[in-house]
Amino acid sequence: MLVSRRRSLASWLQLIGSVGLMMVVLTHIAEAFELMPGMHWGLEASAGHYLDLGSAVLGLTLFPIGYLAHAFAR
């Protein structure tokens, strides 16, 4: 909603960060239901592990940065 009302860098960072956090949830669901077994979910050096890790890092860095930038801009 924030991106549609105010197109700023802070709102885009929040959007990309929240997409990253949603990807973490989706990768955990895929792991729990054993979807896409070729991703080798749960193994340390697998594509699924790096997708989950990268999404978590992306979400946990960009979302707070965007939130703080939006708060300080007000």
Side-chain angles (χ1 to χ4, degrees), residues 21-67:
L21 293 174
M22 288 180 1
M23 283 299 297
V24 171
V25 171
L26 292 175
T27 57
H28 284 234
I29 290 171
E31 181 181 358
F33 290 114
E34 297 176 2
L35 302 174
M36 297 180 286
M39 295 289 282
H40 302 291
W41 301 109
L43 297 179
E44 191 169 314
S46 66
H49 172 74
Y50 288 113
L51 176 66
D52 187 30
L53 178 65
S55 299
V57 168
L58 185 78
L60 290 175
T61 55
L62 292 184
F63 186 79
I65 290 171
Y67 180 79

CSV table of all heavy atoms in Angstrom, one decimal, residues 21-67:
chain,number,residue,atom,x,y,z
A,21,LEU,N,11.0,-11.8,3.2
A,21,LEU,CA,10.5,-12.5,4.3
A,21,LEU,C,9.4,-13.5,3.9
A,21,LEU,O,9.3,-14.6,4.5
A,21,LEU,CB,10.0,-11.5,5.4
A,21,LEU,CG,11.1,-10.7,6.0
A,21,LEU,CD1,10.4,-9.6,7.0
A,21,LEU,CD2,12.0,-11.5,6.8
A,22,MET,N,8.6,-13.1,2.9
A,22,MET,CA,7.6,-14.1,2.4
A,22,MET,C,8.2,-15.3,1.8
A,22,MET,O,7.7,-16.4,1.8
A,22,MET,CB,6.6,-13.4,1.5
A,22,MET,CG,5.7,-12.4,2.2
A,22,MET,SD,4.5,-11.5,1.2
A,22,MET,CE,4.7,-12.0,-0.5
A,23,MET,N,9.4,-15.0,1.1
A,23,MET,CA,10.1,-16.2,0.5
A,23,MET,C,10.6,-17.1,1.5
A,23,MET,O,10.6,-18.3,1.3
A,23,MET,CB,11.3,-15.6,-0.4
A,23,MET,CG,10.9,-15.1,-1.7
A,23,MET,SD,10.1,-16.3,-2.7
A,23,MET,CE,11.4,-17.5,-3.0
A,24,VAL,N,11.0,-16.6,2.7
A,24,VAL,CA,11.4,-17.5,3.8
A,24,VAL,C,10.3,-18.4,4.2
A,24,VAL,O,10.4,-19.6,4.4
A,24,VAL,CB,11.9,-16.7,5.0
A,24,VAL,CG1,12.2,-17.5,6.2
A,24,VAL,CG2,13.2,-15.9,4.6
A,25,VAL,N,9.1,-17.8,4.4
A,25,VAL,CA,7.9,-18.6,4.7
A,25,VAL,C,7.6,-19.6,3.7
A,25,VAL,O,7.4,-20.8,4.0
A,25,VAL,CB,6.7,-17.7,5.0
A,25,VAL,CG1,5.4,-18.4,5.2
A,25,VAL,CG2,7.0,-16.8,6.2
A,26,LEU,N,7.7,-19.2,2.4
A,26,LEU,CA,7.4,-20.2,1.3
A,26,LEU,C,8.4,-21.3,1.2
A,26,LEU,O,8.0,-22.4,0.9
A,26,LEU,CB,7.2,-19.4,0.0
A,26,LEU,CG,6.0,-18.5,-0.1
A,26,LEU,CD1,6.1,-17.8,-1.5
A,26,LEU,CD2,4.8,-19.3,0.0
A,27,THR,N,9.7,-21.0,1.5
A,27,THR,CA,10.7,-22.1,1.4
A,27,THR,C,10.5,-23.0,2.6
A,27,THR,O,10.7,-24.2,2.4
A,27,THR,CB,12.1,-21.5,1.5
A,27,THR,OG1,12.3,-20.7,2.6
A,27,THR,CG2,12.4,-20.7,0.2
A,28,HIS,N,10.0,-22.5,3.8
A,28,HIS,CA,9.8,-23.4,4.9
A,28,HIS,C,8.6,-24.3,4.6
A,28,HIS,O,8.5,-25.5,5.0
A,28,HIS,CB,9.6,-22.7,6.2
A,28,HIS,CG,11.0,-22.2,6.7
A,28,HIS,ND1,11.4,-22.4,8.0
A,28,HIS,CD2,12.0,-21.5,6.1
A,28,HIS,CE1,12.6,-21.9,8.2
A,28,HIS,NE2,12.9,-21.3,7.0
A,29,ILE,N,7.6,-23.8,4.0
A,29,ILE,CA,6.4,-24.6,3.6
A,29,ILE,C,6.8,-25.6,2.6
A,29,ILE,O,6.4,-26.8,2.7
A,29,ILE,CB,5.3,-23.6,3.0
A,29,ILE,CG1,4.7,-22.8,4.2
A,29,ILE,CG2,4.2,-24.5,2.4
A,29,ILE,CD1,3.7,-21.7,3.7
A,30,ALA,N,7.6,-25.2,1.6
A,30,ALA,CA,8.0,-26.2,0.6
A,30,ALA,C,8.9,-27.3,1.2
A,30,ALA,O,8.8,-28.5,0.8
A,30,ALA,CB,8.8,-25.5,-0.5
A,31,GLU,N,9.7,-26.9,2.2
A,31,GLU,CA,10.5,-27.9,2.9
A,31,GLU,C,9.6,-28.9,3.7
A,31,GLU,O,9.8,-30.1,3.8
A,31,GLU,CB,11.5,-27.2,3.8
A,31,GLU,CG,12.4,-28.2,4.6
A,31,GLU,CD,13.4,-27.5,5.5
A,31,GLU,OE1,13.4,-26.2,5.5
A,31,GLU,OE2,14.1,-28.2,6.2
A,32,ALA,N,8.6,-28.3,4.4
A,32,ALA,CA,7.7,-29.1,5.3
A,32,ALA,C,6.9,-30.1,4.4
A,32,ALA,O,6.7,-31.3,4.9
A,32,ALA,CB,6.8,-28.3,6.1
A,33,PHE,N,6.4,-29.7,3.3
A,33,PHE,CA,5.6,-30.6,2.4
A,33,PHE,C,6.4,-31.3,1.4
A,33,PHE,O,5.8,-32.0,0.5
A,33,PHE,CB,4.5,-29.8,1.8
A,33,PHE,CG,3.4,-29.3,2.7
A,33,PHE,CD1,3.3,-28.0,3.0
A,33,PHE,CD2,2.6,-30.2,3.4
A,33,PHE,CE1,2.3,-27.5,3.9
A,33,PHE,CE2,1.7,-29.8,4.3
A,33,PHE,CZ,1.5,-28.5,4.5
A,34,GLU,N,7.7,-31.2,1.5
A,34,GLU,CA,8.6,-31.9,0.6
A,34,GLU,C,8.3,-31.6,-0.9
A,34,GLU,O,8.3,-32.5,-1.8
A,34,GLU,CB,8.7,-33.4,0.8
A,34,GLU,CG,9.2,-33.7,2.2
A,34,GLU,CD,9.2,-35.2,2.5
A,34,GLU,OE1,8.8,-36.0,1.7
A,34,GLU,OE2,9.5,-35.5,3.7
A,35,LEU,N,8.0,-30.3,-1.2
A,35,LEU,CA,7.8,-29.9,-2.6
A,35,LEU,C,9.2,-29.7,-3.2
A,35,LEU,O,10.1,-29.3,-2.6
A,35,LEU,CB,7.0,-28.6,-2.6
A,35,LEU,CG,5.6,-28.7,-1.9
A,35,LEU,CD1,5.0,-27.3,-1.9
A,35,LEU,CD2,4.7,-29.6,-2.6
A,36,MET,N,9.3,-29.9,-4.5
A,36,MET,CA,10.5,-29.7,-5.2
A,36,MET,C,11.7,-30.4,-4.6
A,36,MET,O,12.6,-29.8,-4.0
A,36,MET,CB,10.8,-28.2,-5.4
A,36,MET,CG,9.8,-27.5,-6.2
A,36,MET,SD,10.2,-25.8,-6.5
A,36,MET,CE,9.9,-25.1,-4.9
A,37,PRO,N,11.7,-31.8,-4.6
A,37,PRO,CA,12.8,-32.5,-3.9
A,37,PRO,C,14.1,-32.3,-4.5
A,37,PRO,O,15.1,-32.5,-3.8
A,37,PRO,CB,12.3,-34.0,-4.0
A,37,PRO,CG,11.4,-34.0,-5.1
A,37,PRO,CD,10.7,-32.7,-5.2
A,38,GLY,N,14.2,-31.8,-5.7
A,38,GLY,CA,15.5,-31.5,-6.3
A,38,GLY,C,16.2,-30.3,-5.6
A,38,GLY,O,17.4,-30.2,-5.8
A,39,MET,N,15.5,-29.5,-4.8
A,39,MET,CA,16.2,-28.4,-4.1
A,39,MET,C,17.0,-28.9,-2.9
A,39,MET,O,17.7,-28.2,-2.3
A,39,MET,CB,15.1,-27.4,-3.6
A,39,MET,CG,14.5,-26.7,-4.8
A,39,MET,SD,15.5,-25.5,-5.6
A,39,MET,CE,15.5,-24.2,-4.5
A,40,HIS,N,16.7,-30.2,-2.5
A,40,HIS,CA,17.4,-30.8,-1.3
A,40,HIS,C,17.2,-30.0,-0.1
A,40,HIS,O,18.2,-29.6,0.6
A,40,HIS,CB,18.9,-31.1,-1.6
A,40,HIS,CG,19.1,-31.9,-2.8
A,40,HIS,ND1,18.8,-33.3,-2.9
A,40,HIS,CD2,19.6,-31.6,-4.0
A,40,HIS,CE1,19.1,-33.8,-4.0
A,40,HIS,NE2,19.6,-32.8,-4.8
A,41,TRP,N,16.0,-29.7,0.3
A,41,TRP,CA,15.6,-28.9,1.4
A,41,TRP,C,16.3,-29.5,2.7
A,41,TRP,O,16.3,-30.7,2.9
A,41,TRP,CB,14.1,-28.8,1.6
A,41,TRP,CG,13.4,-28.3,0.5
A,41,TRP,CD1,12.6,-29.0,-0.3
A,41,TRP,CD2,13.4,-26.9,0.0
A,41,TRP,NE1,12.1,-28.2,-1.3
A,41,TRP,CE2,12.5,-26.9,-1.1
A,41,TRP,CE3,14.0,-25.8,0.4
A,41,TRP,CZ2,12.3,-25.7,-1.8
A,41,TRP,CZ3,13.8,-24.6,-0.3
A,41,TRP,CH2,12.9,-24.6,-1.4
A,42,GLY,N,16.8,-28.7,3.5
A,42,GLY,CA,17.3,-29.1,4.8
A,42,GLY,C,18.8,-29.4,4.8
A,42,GLY,O,19.4,-29.5,5.8
A,43,LEU,N,19.4,-29.7,3.6
A,43,LEU,CA,20.8,-30.0,3.6
A,43,LEU,C,21.6,-28.7,3.6
A,43,LEU,O,21.1,-27.6,3.0
A,43,LEU,CB,21.1,-30.8,2.3
A,43,LEU,CG,20.5,-32.1,2.2
A,43,LEU,CD1,20.8,-32.8,0.9
A,43,LEU,CD2,20.9,-33.0,3.4
A,44,GLU,N,22.7,-28.7,4.2
A,44,GLU,CA,23.5,-27.5,4.4
A,44,GLU,C,24.0,-26.8,3.2
A,44,GLU,O,23.9,-25.6,3.1
A,44,GLU,CB,24.6,-27.7,5.4
A,44,GLU,CG,25.3,-26.5,5.9
A,44,GLU,CD,26.2,-26.8,7.0
A,44,GLU,OE1,25.9,-27.6,7.9
A,44,GLU,OE2,27.3,-26.2,7.0
A,45,ALA,N,24.5,-27.5,2.2
A,45,ALA,CA,25.0,-26.9,1.0
A,45,ALA,C,24.1,-27.1,-0.2
A,45,ALA,O,24.6,-27.3,-1.3
A,45,ALA,CB,26.4,-27.5,0.8
A,46,SER,N,22.8,-26.9,0.0
A,46,SER,CA,21.9,-27.1,-1.1
A,46,SER,C,21.4,-25.8,-1.6
A,46,SER,O,21.5,-24.7,-0.9
A,46,SER,CB,20.7,-28.0,-0.6
A,46,SER,OG,20.0,-27.3,0.4
A,47,ALA,N,20.7,-25.8,-2.7
A,47,ALA,CA,20.1,-24.6,-3.3
A,47,ALA,C,19.0,-24.1,-2.4
A,47,ALA,O,18.8,-22.9,-2.3
A,47,ALA,CB,19.6,-24.9,-4.7
A,48,GLY,N,18.2,-25.0,-1.8
A,48,GLY,CA,17.1,-24.6,-0.9
A,48,GLY,C,17.6,-23.9,0.3
A,48,GLY,O,17.0,-22.9,0.8
A,49,HIS,N,18.8,-24.3,0.8
A,49,HIS,CA,19.4,-23.7,2.0
A,49,HIS,C,19.8,-22.2,1.6
A,49,HIS,O,19.5,-21.3,2.4
A,49,HIS,CB,20.6,-24.5,2.5
A,49,HIS,CG,21.4,-23.8,3.5
A,49,HIS,ND1,20.9,-23.7,4.8
A,49,HIS,CD2,22.6,-23.2,3.5
A,49,HIS,CE1,21.8,-23.1,5.6
A,49,HIS,NE2,22.8,-22.7,4.8
A,50,TYR,N,20.4,-22.1,0.5
A,50,TYR,CA,20.9,-20.8,0.1
A,50,TYR,C,19.8,-19.8,-0.3
A,50,TYR,O,19.8,-18.6,-0.1
A,50,TYR,CB,22.0,-20.8,-1.0
A,50,TYR,CG,23.3,-21.4,-0.5
A,50,TYR,CD1,23.7,-22.6,-0.9
A,50,TYR,CD2,24.0,-20.7,0.5
A,50,TYR,CE1,24.9,-23.2,-0.3
A,50,TYR,CE2,25.2,-21.2,1.0
A,50,TYR,CZ,25.6,-22.4,0.6
A,50,TYR,OH,26.8,-22.9,1.1
A,51,LEU,N,18.7,-20.4,-0.9
A,51,LEU,CA,17.5,-19.6,-1.2
A,51,LEU,C,16.9,-19.1,0.1
A,51,LEU,O,16.6,-17.9,0.3
A,51,LEU,CB,16.5,-20.4,-1.9
A,51,LEU,CG,15.2,-19.7,-2.3
A,51,LEU,CD1,15.4,-18.6,-3.2
A,51,LEU,CD2,14.2,-20.7,-2.9
A,52,ASP,N,16.8,-19.9,1.1
A,52,ASP,CA,16.2,-19.5,2.4
A,52,ASP,C,17.1,-18.5,3.1
A,52,ASP,O,16.7,-17.5,3.6
A,52,ASP,CB,16.1,-20.8,3.3
A,52,ASP,CG,15.3,-20.5,4.6
A,52,ASP,OD1,14.5,-19.6,4.6
A,52,ASP,OD2,15.6,-21.2,5.6
A,53,LEU,N,18.4,-18.8,3.1
A,53,LEU,CA,19.3,-17.9,3.8
A,53,LEU,C,19.4,-16.5,3.1
A,53,LEU,O,19.3,-15.5,3.8
A,53,LEU,CB,20.7,-18.5,3.8
A,53,LEU,CG,21.9,-17.7,4.4
A,53,LEU,CD1,21.6,-17.5,5.9
A,53,LEU,CD2,23.2,-18.3,4.2
A,54,GLY,N,19.5,-16.5,1.8
A,54,GLY,CA,19.5,-15.3,1.1
A,54,GLY,C,18.3,-14.4,1.3
A,54,GLY,O,18.3,-13.2,1.4
A,55,SER,N,17.1,-15.1,1.2
A,55,SER,CA,15.8,-14.4,1.4
A,55,SER,C,15.7,-13.8,2.8
A,55,SER,O,15.3,-12.7,3.0
A,55,SER,CB,14.7,-15.4,1.2
A,55,SER,OG,14.7,-15.8,-0.1
A,56,ALA,N,16.2,-14.6,3.8
A,56,ALA,CA,16.2,-14.1,5.2
A,56,ALA,C,17.1,-12.9,5.4
A,56,ALA,O,16.7,-11.9,6.0
A,56,ALA,CB,16.6,-15.2,6.2
A,57,VAL,N,18.3,-12.9,4.8
A,57,VAL,CA,19.2,-11.8,4.9
A,57,VAL,C,18.6,-10.6,4.2
A,57,VAL,O,18.7,-9.5,4.7
A,57,VAL,CB,20.6,-12.2,4.4
A,57,VAL,CG1,21.5,-11.0,4.2
A,57,VAL,CG2,21.3,-13.2,5.3
A,58,LEU,N,18.1,-10.8,3.0
A,58,LEU,CA,17.5,-9.7,2.3
A,58,LEU,C,16.4,-9.1,3.0
A,58,LEU,O,16.3,-7.9,3.2
A,58,LEU,CB,17.0,-10.2,0.9
A,58,LEU,CG,16.5,-9.2,0.0
A,58,LEU,CD1,17.6,-8.5,-0.7
A,58,LEU,CD2,15.6,-9.9,-1.1
A,59,GLY,N,15.5,-9.9,3.6
A,59,GLY,CA,14.3,-9.4,4.3
A,59,GLY,C,14.7,-8.7,5.6
A,59,GLY,O,14.1,-7.6,5.9
A,60,LEU,N,15.6,-9.3,6.3
A,60,LEU,CA,15.9,-8.7,7.6
A,60,LEU,C,16.9,-7.5,7.5
A,60,LEU,O,17.1,-6.8,8.5
A,60,LEU,CB,16.6,-9.8,8.5
A,60,LEU,CG,15.6,-10.9,9.0
A,60,LEU,CD1,16.3,-12.0,9.7
A,60,LEU,CD2,14.5,-10.3,9.8
A,61,THR,N,17.4,-7.2,6.4
A,61,THR,CA,18.2,-6.0,6.2
A,61,THR,C,17.4,-4.9,5.5
A,61,THR,O,17.3,-3.7,6.0
A,61,THR,CB,19.5,-6.2,5.4
A,61,THR,OG1,19.2,-6.8,4.2
A,61,THR,CG2,20.4,-7.1,6.2
A,62,LEU,N,16.7,-5.2,4.4
A,62,LEU,CA,16.0,-4.2,3.7
A,62,LEU,C,14.8,-3.6,4.3
A,62,LEU,O,14.5,-2.4,4.3
A,62,LEU,CB,15.7,-4.7,2.3
A,62,LEU,CG,16.9,-4.9,1.3
A,62,LEU,CD1,16.4,-5.3,0.0
A,62,LEU,CD2,17.8,-3.7,1.3
A,63,PHE,N,14.0,-4.5,4.9
A,63,PHE,CA,12.7,-4.1,5.5
A,63,PHE,C,13.0,-3.0,6.7
A,63,PHE,O,12.4,-2.0,6.7
A,63,PHE,CB,11.9,-5.2,6.0
A,63,PHE,CG,10.5,-4.8,6.5
A,63,PHE,CD1,9.5,-4.5,5.6
A,63,PHE,CD2,10.3,-4.6,7.9
A,63,PHE,CE1,8.3,-4.0,6.1
A,63,PHE,CE2,9.0,-4.2,8.3
A,63,PHE,CZ,8.0,-3.9,7.4
A,64,PRO,N,13.9,-3.3,7.6
A,64,PRO,CA,14.1,-2.3,8.7
A,64,PRO,C,14.7,-1.1,8.2
A,64,PRO,O,14.4,0.0,8.6
A,64,PRO,CB,15.0,-3.0,9.7
A,64,PRO,CG,14.9,-4.5,9.4
A,64,PRO,CD,14.5,-4.6,8.0
A,65,ILE,N,15.6,-1.2,7.2
A,65,ILE,CA,16.2,0.0,6.6
A,65,ILE,C,15.2,0.9,6.0
A,65,ILE,O,15.1,2.1,6.1
A,65,ILE,CB,17.3,-0.3,5.6
A,65,ILE,CG1,18.5,-0.9,6.3
A,65,ILE,CG2,17.8,0.9,4.8
A,65,ILE,CD1,19.6,-1.5,5.4
A,66,GLY,N,14.3,0.3,5.2
A,66,GLY,CA,13.2,1.0,4.6
A,66,GLY,C,12.2,1.6,5.6
A,66,GLY,O,11.8,2.8,5.5
A,67,TYR,N,12.0,0.9,6.7
A,67,TYR,CA,11.1,1.4,7.7
A,67,TYR,C,11.7,2.6,8.4
A,67,TYR,O,11.0,3.6,8.6
A,67,TYR,CB,10.8,0.3,8.7
A,67,TYR,CG,9.9,0.8,9.8
A,67,TYR,CD1,8.5,0.9,9.6
A,67,TYR,CD2,10.4,1.1,11.1
A,67,TYR,CE1,7.7,1.3,10.6
A,67,TYR,CE2,9.5,1.5,12.1
A,67,TYR,CZ,8.2,1.6,11.9
A,67,TYR,OH,7.4,2.1,12.9
